[in-house]
C-alpha cells in the first residue's frame, strides 16, 4: 500500500488497484478514479489527472460540472439518491436539515487511509467519511454523522457511494432461500436504480451479499469488475444507480424506518463498513482480495481447523447419553477432532417448540449434566462444542413466562408473529442481556467448551434491527474477552447470517442447512466470492440428503466437504465398514491438505454449468487441489478438456486423481490414458491452456485431483 498527495489530490494504491480522491476546494470531495493501478502518480501528475476529469456541463443541467461525490447531495445538483438524508422531528420548516449542504473542512491522510471531514453549520451536521485501501486491495469506507445542532436529528439514510465507469454495464448479486443460499442473478444495468433490501434483521438467506458490476460477460477468470459488500448483520440496502447523465454509482447503507435512528444533540452515528474491491481478473480476482483481507483480520483462530462432527442430522432432538457416546466413539475412530452437541440439550427442549432462553442443561435427559458426555468426548481426545441461540426466546420457556417484557415487540402487549415457534429476546434490554450472558458464561465456566455454534433462527421483524445487532456484537465481544480461544460459528437457519462483520467475531459460518453435496457445491461456490473456504463449514451428510431427498455417492460428498472447514453431519454409528474406511481416508486427507485450504487462492474455471471445476492453489503455485463436479449429464458426449486455472506456466506438475471412495462413475469404456493411470505429468501451460481429456462422467460425480510441482 502506498499513499501520495498533491496536496489536495490523494492517491491510494494497493494490490494492483488505485483510488484517486480530488479534495480540492470546499466542495464534497469526489473519487475521480477507482480501478486499475495508475502507477506512482503524485504531485503535478495527480493534479493534472484531477483537472482532466472535470466533466462537461450539458444543456439543462447544473451550471457547475456534476460529479458523483463521496456524499452526493441535491444541494450540489445530484439528482440521484442522496448520501446522507434526515430531518429534525417537530421542526417542519427546517429546510437546512432536510437538504444538507456540507462543505469540506479538511481531508487528512494517515497510512492507507483518508479522512474527509465535512460540516454544514446551518443544518447542524458534521459528516466524516473514512476511506482506507488496505494492502490486500480491499477498500473500506465508513461514515460518521454528528448532530452538532441543539435538537434531535432523525437519520433517514447514510450511504457509502462509489463511482463506477460507463463500461461497467452488467450487475451480478446473490439471492436465495433456506437451504439454497447465495444463488447468483445477473442483469444488464439500465438507467435507474437497482436496489436490493434486506428486511430480516439479519442478512437473510436472500442477502445480496455482494453487488458486482462489471464489463459485459465478466466471469470467474476474466473481465473487469467492481464489487461492494455491506459488512453488517442487520437490515441493509445495496444499490447501483445509473443516471441518464452518464453517472453510475454503487452504494450500500443500513436500511431504516422513519425515526429508527435519532441522534440527540452531540450524538454520533457510525455506519457499518462498506467493503469494496476492484479486479480485472474477473470474480476470482475479487475473491483473492477479499480472502486475503478476511484472513488477515485480527483475533482470528490461527490453528488448523479441527475436523468436526456436528450431531444435528445424526440425532436431531433425540438426546441420549448412550447414543451420543457411541457417536463420539465412532467420530474419534475416523479421526474427528471436535464434537459439537447441537440443539436439544437444554431445559425442556425436546422439540423446536420450547425452551429457548432457559440455558441450563435439561435434568431429565442429562441427570448428571453434560459432564458424562463432555468427559467422554475430551477423553477421546476431541474438543467439545455446544449449540446455543442467545438472541431468541421460546414463549414456552421459564424466562418468557417470568419476563414477558424481554420479548422484542413493536407494540407493548401485541404478540409478534411466531417463527419456528419462537420470538426475539430483546438483547438491548439490560436485564435480558445479562440473563443470557450469565447463562452462557456459566456454561463456559462449567464445561470445557471450545466452540459455540451460535444460531439465529428467526428474523428480527418486530423492531429496528440495529440495537439487536449491536447488542449481539457486544455479547460476542464479552464472551471472547472472558474466554480467550473460544471459537464461535455464525449460523442462522443455515446460512442466514454470513457477512464480513460477523466474521470479526466468529471463526466460521454455517453456509447452509443443506448437506446435499450438489446444492452445497453451489452454496460454497458463491459464499466463496467473499469468504475464504477454511471459514465455511462443510460437512459430509447422509447418502440421502435430509433437505432434498436426493441420494449421492460418498465420493461426491467427500470431495465437496474437502473445500471448507471440513466436518461430518451424519450418524456414523450406522455407516458400513466400507464407508467408515473411506471417511477415515478422507479425514486423513483433510488434515494433510488443510494448510493449503487455509492459505490457498480460490480458482474457478469458466465452464458450462453441467461440469464445474474449482480449486485451491498455494500462493507459490507449487501445490493445488481441484474438484471436477458434474452437475448434470454433460452436454457433449465427450466432455470438454479439463483446464486447471491458476497453475504456473513455468512449472511442471504431477496431477493425481484421488479416489477416497468408489471411483467416479464413467459412462463408456475407453478411458483417456491419464485417467486410466490415475496420474499425469505435464507442464503448467498444457494444464492451463490445452487441458486434460475427461472421460464421459456420469451426472452428479465428484473427482478430486491433487497437483504438485515436480
Ligand atoms: C438451525 C441450524 C441447524 C441446526 C438447527 C437446530 O436450523 O441451521 O444446523 O442447528 O437449527 O435447531
Amino acid at each position: 500500500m502506498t499513499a501520495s498527495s498533491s496536496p489536495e489530490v490523494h492517491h491510494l494504491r494497493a494490490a494492483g488497484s488505485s483510488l484517486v480522491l480530488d479534495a480540492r476546494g470546499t466542495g464534497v470531495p469526489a473519487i475521480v478514479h477507482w480501478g486499475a493501478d495508475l502507477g506512482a502518480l503524485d504531485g503535478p501528475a495527480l493534479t493534472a489527472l484531477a483537472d482532466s476529469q472535470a466533466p462537461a456541463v450539458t444543456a439543462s443541467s447544473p451550471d457547475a460540472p456534476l460529479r458523483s461525490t463521496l456524499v452526493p447531495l441535491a444541494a450540489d445538483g445530484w439528482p440521484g439518491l442522496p448520501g446522507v438524508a434526515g430531518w429534525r422531528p417537530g421542526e417542519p420548516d427546517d429546510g437546512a436539515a432536510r437538504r444538507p449542504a456540507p462543505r469540506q473542512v479538511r481531508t487528512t491522510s494517515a497510512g492507507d487511509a483518508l479522512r474527509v471531514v465535512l460540516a454544514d453549520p446551518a443544518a447542524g451536521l458534521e459528516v466524516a467519511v473514512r476511506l482506507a485501501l488496505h494492502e490486500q486491495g480491499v477498500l473500506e469506507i465508513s461514515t460518521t454523522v454528528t448532530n452538532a445542532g441543539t435538537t434531535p436529528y432523525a437519520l433517514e439514510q447514510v450511504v457509502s457511494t462509489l463511482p463506477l465507469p460507463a463500461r461497467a454495464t452488467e450487475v451480478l448479486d446473490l439471492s436465495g432461500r433456506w437451504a439454497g443460499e447465495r444463488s447468483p442473478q445477473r442483469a444488464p444495468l439500465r438507467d435507474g436504480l437497482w436496489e436490493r433490501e434486506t428486511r430480516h434483521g439479519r442478512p437473510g438467506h436472500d442477502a445480496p451479499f455482494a453487488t458486482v458490476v462489471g464489463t459485459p460477460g465478466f466471469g470467474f477468470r476474466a473481465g473487469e469488475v467492481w464489487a461492494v459488500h455491506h459488512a453488517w448483520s442487520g437490515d441493509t440496502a445495496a444499490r447501483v444507480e445509473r443516471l441518464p447523465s452518464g453517472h453510475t454509482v454503487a452504494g450500500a447503507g443500513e436500511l431504516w424506518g422513519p425515526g429508527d435512528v435519532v441522534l440527540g444533540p452531540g450524538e454520533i452515528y457510525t455506519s457499518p463498513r462498506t467493503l469494496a474491491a476492484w479486479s480485472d481478473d474477473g470474480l476470482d480476482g475479487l475473491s483473492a482480495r477479499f480472502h486475503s483481507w478476511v484472513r488477515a483480520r485480527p483475533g482470528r483462530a490461527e490453528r488448523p481447523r479441527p475436523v468436526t462432527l456436528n450431531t444435528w442430522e445424526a440425532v436431531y432432538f433425540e438426546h441420549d447419553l448412550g447414543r451420543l457416546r457411541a457417536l463420539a466413539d465412532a467420530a474419534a475412530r475416523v479421526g474427528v477432532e471436535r464434537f459439537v452437541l447441537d440443539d436439544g440439550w437444554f431445559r425442556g427442549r425436546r422439540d423446536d417448540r420450547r425452551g429457548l432462553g432457559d440455558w441450563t442443561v435439561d435434568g431429565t435427559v442429562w441427570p448428571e449434566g453434560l459432564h458424562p458426555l463432555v468427559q467422554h468426548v475430551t477423553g477421546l481426545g476431541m474438543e467439545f462444542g455446544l449449540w446455543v441461540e442467545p438472541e431468541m426466546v421460546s414463549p414456552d420457556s421459564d424466562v418468557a413466562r417470568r419476563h414477558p417484557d424481554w420479548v422484542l415487540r413493536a407494540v407493548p402487549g401485541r404478540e409478534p408473529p411466531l417463527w419456528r415457534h419462537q420470538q426475539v429476546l430483546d438483547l438491548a434490554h439490560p436485564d435480558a442481556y445479562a440473563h443470557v450472558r450469565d447463562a452462557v458464561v456459566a456454561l463456559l465456566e462449567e464445561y470445557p467448551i471450545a466452540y459455540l455454534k451460535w444460531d439465529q433462527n428467526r428474523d428480527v421483524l418486530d423492531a429496528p434491527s440495529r440495537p439487536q445487532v449491536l447488542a449481539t456484537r457486544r455479547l460476542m465481544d464479552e464472551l471472547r474477552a472472558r474466554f480467550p480461544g473460544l471459537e464461535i460459528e455464525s449460523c442462522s437457519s443455515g446460512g442466514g447470517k454470513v457477512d464480513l462483520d460477523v466474521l470479526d467475531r466468529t471463526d466460521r459460518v454455517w453456509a447452509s442447512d443443506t448437506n446435499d453435496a450438489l446444492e452445497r457445491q453451489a452454496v460454497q461456490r458463491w459464499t466463496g466470492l467473499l469468504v475464504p473456504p477454511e471459514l465455511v463449514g462443510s460437512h459430509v451428510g447422509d447418502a440421502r440428503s435430509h433437505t432434498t431427498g436426493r441420494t449421492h455417492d460418498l465420493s461426491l460428498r467427500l470431495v465437496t466437504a474437502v473445500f471448507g472447514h471440513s466436518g461430518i453431519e451424519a450418524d456414523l454409528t450406522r455407516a458400513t465398514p466400507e464407508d467408515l474406511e473411506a471417511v477415515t481416508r478422507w479425514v486423513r486427507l483433510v488434515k494433510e491438505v488443510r494448510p493449503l485450504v487455509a492459505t490457498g487462492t480460490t480458482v474457478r474455471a469458466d465452464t458450462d454449468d453441467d461440469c464445474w471445476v474449482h480449486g485451491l492453489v498455494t500462493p507459490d503455485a507449487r501445490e493445488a487441489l481441484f474438484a471436477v463436479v458434474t452437475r448434470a449429464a454433460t452436454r457433449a458426449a465427450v466432455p470438454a478438456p479439463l483446464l486447471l486455472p491458476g497453475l504456473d506456466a513455468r512449472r511442471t506438475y504431477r496431477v493425481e486423481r484421488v479416489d477416497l471412495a468408489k471411483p467416479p462413475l464413467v459412462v463408456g469404456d475407453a478411458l483417456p490414458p491419464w485417467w486410466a493411470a490415475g496420474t499425469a505429468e505435464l507442464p503448467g501451460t498444457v494444464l492451463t491452456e490445452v487441458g486434460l481429456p475427461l472421460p464421459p462422467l456420469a451426472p452428479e460425480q465428484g473427482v478430486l485431483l491433487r497437483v504438485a510441482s515436480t
Side-chain angles (χ1 to χ4, degrees):
M1 192 290 313
T2 59
S4 56
S5 30
S6 104
E8 290 156 329
V9 183
H10 302 270
H11 186 193
L12 302 176
R13 295 173 68 199
S17 54
S18 270
L19 180 143
V20 178
L21 183 80
D22 182 357
R24 295 176 298 177
T26 57
V28 182
I31 294 171
V32 291
H33 170 78
W34 171 43
D37 185 17
L38 299 179
L41 281 190
D42 57 8
L46 268 184
T47 311
L49 162 67
D51 282 344
S52 73
Q53 296 309 302
V57 173
T58 66
S60 188
S61 75
D63 288 348
L66 185 63
R67 303 197 305 174
S68 56
T69 68
L70 272 188
V71 185
L73 291 163
D76 291 322
W78 183 251
L81 274 173
V84 171
W87 76 102
R88 292 200 181 271
E91 294 180 47
D93 297 333
D94 191 4
R98 286 167 190 269
R99 290 264 180 282
R103 300 295 87 192
Q104 186 185 183
V105 178
R106 64 184 167 276
T107 292
T108 48
S109 150
D112 62 0
L114 299 172
R115 187 159 184 272
V116 177
V117 179
L118 312 165
D120 179 353
L125 288 178
E126 278 169 24
V127 179
V129 183
R130 183 175 178 277
L131 292 165
L133 183 57
H134 297 298
E135 59 180 308
Q136 301 84 4
V138 170
L139 175 65
E140 177 184 335
I141 309 174
S142 58
T143 305
T144 57
V145 178
T146 305
N147 179 8
T150 52
T151 58
Y153 186 79
L155 276 172
E156 189 181 325
Q157 62 178 29
V158 175
V159 185
S160 310
T161 309
L162 283 161
L164 300 175
R167 62 186 180 279
T169 55
E170 221 170 278
V171 61
L172 175 146
D173 64 12
L174 293 308
S175 182
R177 56 162 163 80
W178 175 78
E181 295 85 342
R182 283 166 292 288
S183 157
Q185 54 177 2
R186 227 179 225 266
L189 206 58
R190 301 185 198 287
D191 284 358
L193 184 63
W194 171 257
E195 176 162 21
R196 296 286 313 284
E197 295 183 343
T198 59
R199 295 174 181 271
H200 303 288
R202 53 175 169 172
H205 302 97
D206 60 347
F209 193 51
T211 311
V212 182
V213 192
T215 47
F218 65 83
F220 284 110
R221 307 292 302 169
E224 194 180 9
V225 277
W226 292 256
V228 176
H229 166 77
H230 195 234
W232 183 240
S233 305
D235 293 344
T236 284
R239 292 153 175 163
V240 184
E241 187 169 25
R242 194 172 87 173
L243 299 174
S245 58
H247 300 81
T248 305
V249 292
E254 282 188 74
L255 183 67
W256 300 314
D260 279 356
V261 180
V262 180
L263 302 176
E267 274 183 358
I268 302 174
Y269 163 77
T270 303
S271 78
R273 294 159 299 169
T274 297
L275 300 167
W278 166 89
S279 155
D280 59 356
D281 290 324
L283 300 170
D284 280 359
L286 291 176
S287 299
R289 290 179 165 94
F290 279 108
H291 290 187
S292 349
W293 183 83
V294 173
R295 282 172 170 162
R297 74 202 194 289
R300 72 195 190 282
E302 302 213 26
R303 64 203 174 105
R305 305 293 67 223
V307 179
T308 298
L309 182 135
N310 187 63
T311 60
W312 181 238
E313 291 194 5
V315 301
Y316 291 105
F317 288 107
E318 287 164 35
H319 284 200
D320 170 83
L321 179 58
R323 196 167 162 201
L324 286 162
R325 266 193 181 141
L327 185 59
D329 289 337
R333 270 199 298 273
V334 300
V336 165
E337 298 162 305
R338 173 183 282 166
F339 184 90
V340 181
L341 184 64
D342 208 288
D343 195 357
W345 56 268
F346 47 97
R347 217 155 71 238
R349 186 70 166 178
R350 304 277 46 84
D351 54 34
D352 64 5
R353 292 175 172 262
R354 63 207 92 240
L356 296 173
D358 293 347
W359 299 113
T360 54
V361 179
D362 190 292
T364 55
V365 181
W366 300 95
E368 296 168 68
L370 297 176
H371 290 291
L373 179 66
V374 176
Q375 278 160 13
H376 192 72
V377 165
T378 53
L380 289 164
M382 295 185 290
E383 291 177 1
F384 184 75
L386 194 63
W387 181 95
V388 286
E389 198 177 351
E391 299 154 70
M392 296 289 147
V393 60
S394 304
D396 185 359
S397 65
D398 290 344
V399 70
R401 276 184 288 271
R402 260 184 236 135
H403 304 283
D405 57 317
W406 291 1
V407 172
L408 191 69
R409 286 189 173 83
V411 178
R414 192 177 85 192
E415 215 49 29
L418 286 167
W419 180 308
R420 207 192 187 204
H421 320 289
Q422 64 195 57
Q423 301 287 10
V424 178
L425 186 76
D426 182 2
L427 283 185
H429 189 302
D431 297 338
Y433 178 94
H435 163 80
V436 178
R437 182 203 50 213
D438 295 348
V440 179
V441 164
L443 287 163
L444 293 169
E445 277 174 347
E446 183 168 359
Y447 300 104
I449 295 169
Y451 170 90
L452 292 175
K453 176 175 176 180
W454 186 300
D455 214 335
Q456 178 192 345
N457 281 304
R458 184 191 187 278
D459 279 6
V460 181
L461 301 163
D462 323 287
S465 60
R466 184 175 174 78
Q468 194 72 7
V469 175
L470 294 176
T472 304
R473 269 186 178 180
R474 187 154 53 89
L475 183 54
M476 286 185 178
D477 284 342
E478 267 200 68
L479 294 173
R480 278 160 46 94
R482 194 145 165 187
F483 300 93
L486 171 72
E487 291 191 19
I488 302 178
E489 171 176 64
S490 174
C491 173
S492 189
S493 327
K497 193 164 11 175
V498 178
D499 64 79
L500 298 188
D501 189 63
V502 83
L503 273 171
D504 276 352
R505 294 164 179 82
T506 55
D507 301 285
R508 64 173 228 172
V509 295
W510 185 233
S512 181
D513 270 346
T514 188
N515 292 308
D516 172 308
L518 220 52
E519 296 289 313
R520 198 90 195 177
Q521 282 284 336
V523 172
Q524 287 175 196
R525 187 177 184 82
W526 291 101
T527 303
L529 186 59
L530 304 181
V531 185
E534 74 278 14
L535 301 185
V536 182
S538 182
H539 293 180
V540 181
D542 270 351
R544 187 159 196 267
S545 159
H546 293 205
T547 50
T548 61
R550 185 159 56 176
T551 301
H552 283 132
D553 288 350
L554 184 56
S555 50
L556 174 65
R557 290 180 281 137
L558 295 176
V559 169
T560 302
V562 171
F563 293 82
H565 179 169
S566 306
I568 297 165
E569 190 94 14
D571 187 355
L572 288 181
T573 63
R574 289 183 304 139
T576 63
E578 196 191 357
D579 281 1
L580 283 174
E581 268 173 44
V583 171
T584 309
R585 274 195 296 277
W586 171 80
V587 172
R588 228 177 283 134
L589 176 100
V590 163
K591 290 176 183 173
E592 244 177 84
V593 300
R594 61 188 164 191
L596 163 58
V597 174
T599 57
T601 306
T602 293
V603 293
R604 289 153 292 206
D606 286 303
T607 56
D608 283 347
D609 251 357
D610 53 7
C611 180
W612 282 356
V613 178
H614 62 88
L616 286 160
V617 184
T618 53
D620 62 5
R622 275 177 183 277
E623 269 186 72
L625 196 64
F626 284 93
V628 180
V629 175
T630 49
R631 302 190 355 108
T634 53
R635 189 186 51 80
V638 177
L642 166 66
L643 298 169
L644 299 178
L647 297 180
D648 183 346
R650 291 157 306 181
R651 293 183 187 277
T652 297
Y653 292 96
R654 190 181 143 81
V655 180
E656 191 199 341
R657 205 183 75 226
V658 183
D659 291 336
L660 293 159
K662 272 197 224 110
L665 193 63
V666 168
V667 199
D669 302 325
L671 302 172
W674 82 271
W675 181 274
T679 179
E681 195 169 311
L682 287 165
T685 29
V686 174
L687 295 172
T688 54
E689 304 301 328
V690 184
L692 286 168
L694 278 175
L697 287 162
E700 307 190 358
Q701 301 297 302
V703 183
L704 187 67
L705 300 172
R706 278 188 89 168
V707 178
S709 168
T710 56

